[in-house]
Amino acid sequence: MALLRKINQVLLFLLIVTLCVILYKKVHKGTVPKNDADDESETPEELDEEIPVVICAAAGRMGATMAAINSIYSNTDANILFYVVGLRNTLTRIRKWIEHSKLREINFKIVEFNPMVLKGKIRPDSSRPELLQPLNFVRFYLPLLIHQHEKVIYLDDDVIVQGDIQELYDTTLALGHAAAFSDDCDLPSAQDINRLVGLQNTYMGYLDYRKKAIKDLGISPSTCSFNPGVIVANMTEWKHQRITKQLEKWMQKNVEENLYSSSLGGGVATSPMLIVFHGKYSTINPLWHIRHLGWNPDARYSEHFLQEAKLLHWNGRHKPWDFPSVHNDLWESWFVPDPAGIFKLNHHS
């Protein structure tokens, strides 16, 4: 009996030791390795979830930039990093507008654009001189302004975002494509096409096919154009293909030979992009670039269609902060008043 009692005591001791070892392993499995896993998983997630959005802030239309930023920030839970690009004399005002308004919570960087990079590359004559403003060409120089990101969104300032910008960022770019745009032939049926007389949606509206340099490209004049007011860009491909250098080449050639139909399309910045990206770009979901809202103050979309749209673009002369314009109520709902009182809405003649 004494021997049996000792055996039972030994077995009980071994059982207790075994349980202690199991508990010890469980506790440490839930602590030390977990920290390692967090370290390994957090870094890629942090890199993936930061979405860089580039938008310009011109002196006379800074209110547009702030409205666009407000609409983006308010409609997503994603981690957005706004790169707000301006000329030197506007940088202080940009910072004050953001920091002294409801936008103070956004994550942003202010980037100075040096217009000297454009010297000798822009023809002084145009039917729309506002399109010759230096910031209109920022989209050509994205890799020089944005360094640590693989994928970047560029937006014109006269847009409002109604969807989650994460969806736009998730646009798939085909292998070898440096950018994605919206085709101009994807005009929605909801639009009153009859009132958009003169609207250009082919290369004929942007390039002067009487010029030899244009003819030699071998691009059909009826080829559908695209709008570069919304861009999803791959910075690695952009740099690999030397896109900026190609664009500068066609800017310089235009100065020398006047290659673009600026009187028709008005696309001083669009034309070089149409040439450089011809047949080499991916497409954006059409609902992520509903445009031409600034083309004609008498042309309107249906209310249902506007609700479905992810992004609205008032490209054209008739801006939503000015008179006359259409659907300005949608834009004004995102307007952030200027703390300095300089930028004011003008909705009356």
Side-chain angles (χ1 to χ4, degrees), residues 62 66 69 84 90-110 336-340:
M62 205 171 288
M66 302 305 164
I69 290 174
V84 187
T90 64
L91 303 185
T92 300
R93 186 178 169 210
I94 293 170
R95 182 172 298 279
K96 285 183 177 179
W97 198 324
I98 293 174
E99 293 181 346
H100 293 83
S101 72
K102 64 186 297 183
L103 299 178
R104 65 178 63 90
E105 300 297 326
I106 71 170
N107 187 16
F108 72 99
K109 292 183 180 180
I110 296 177
V336 179
D338 183 358

Side-chain angles (χ1 to χ4, degrees), residues 151 166-173 180 232 282-285:
K151 198 175 187 182
Q166 180 77 55
E167 295 178 23
L168 180 61
Y169 185 74
D170 289 340
T171 298
T172 300
L173 273 68
V232 180
S282 300
T283 55
I284 291 171
N285 180 335

Side-chain angles (χ1 to χ4, degrees), residues 88-284:
R88 178 171 295 178
N89 62 351
T90 64
L91 303 185
T92 300
R93 186 178 169 210
I94 293 170
R95 182 172 298 279
K96 285 183 177 179
W97 198 324
I98 293 174
E99 293 181 346
H100 293 83
S101 72
K102 64 186 297 183
L103 299 178
R104 65 178 63 90
E105 300 297 326
I106 71 170
N107 187 16
F108 72 99
K109 292 183 180 180
I110 296 177
V111 181
E112 178 184 353
F113 181 68
N114 185 354
M116 290 306 294
V117 299
L118 302 173
K119 188 176 181 180
K121 300 183 180 74
I122 304 176
R123 290 183 64 86
D125 56 323
S126 173
S127 61
R128 292 184 60 189
E130 73 272 16
L131 295 178
L132 297 177
Q133 296 301 315
L135 294 180
N136 202 36
F137 299 91
V138 162
R139 71 198 87 193
F140 288 14
Y141 297 94
L142 293 177
L144 301 182
L145 301 170
I146 313 300
H147 303 293
Q148 68 267 41
H149 300 284
E150 169 75 8
K151 198 175 187 182
V152 172
I153 294 174
Y154 168 88
L155 299 177
D156 276 353
D157 60 0
D158 50 354
V159 306
I160 288 298
V161 172
Q162 301 187 136
D164 187 340
I165 198 74
Q166 180 77 55
E167 295 178 23
L168 180 61
Y169 185 74
D170 289 340
T171 298
T172 300
L173 273 68
L175 187 65
H177 286 178
F181 308 97
S182 287
D183 281 330
D184 282 333
C185 294
D186 290 335
L187 288 173
S189 58
Q191 194 169 13
D192 186 354
I193 303 298
N194 295 327
R195 296 192 178 186
L196 296 181
V197 176
L199 181 67
Q200 303 302 321
N201 65 354
T202 66
Y203 274 54
M204 174 66 82
Y206 296 89
L207 308 181
D208 188 345
Y209 277 84
R210 297 170 298 179
K211 303 297 172 66
K212 183 177 185 302
I214 299 301
K215 290 180 181 178
D216 290 348
L217 290 170
I219 301 174
S220 168
S222 61
T223 300
C224 183
S225 56
F226 58 80
N227 187 298
V230 177
I231 307 173
V232 180
N234 181 312
M235 294 293 93
T236 300
E237 279 296 333
W238 192 293
K239 288 181 281 191
H240 176 70
Q241 297 179 31
R242 298 170 61 85
I243 296 294
T244 297
K245 287 294 182 185
Q246 292 187 59
L247 292 168
E248 288 185 324
K249 167 192 167 184
W250 284 101
M251 292 171 73
Q252 187 65 50
K253 287 180 74 70
N254 183 52
V255 170
E256 298 165 356
E257 304 176 44
N258 194 17
L259 301 176
Y260 308 143
S261 304
S262 59
S263 61
L264 292 175
V268 183
T270 301
S271 301
M273 299 195 83
L274 290 177
I275 294 173
V276 172
F277 284 101
H278 174 252
K280 294 183 291 185
Y281 66 92
S282 300
T283 55
I284 291 171

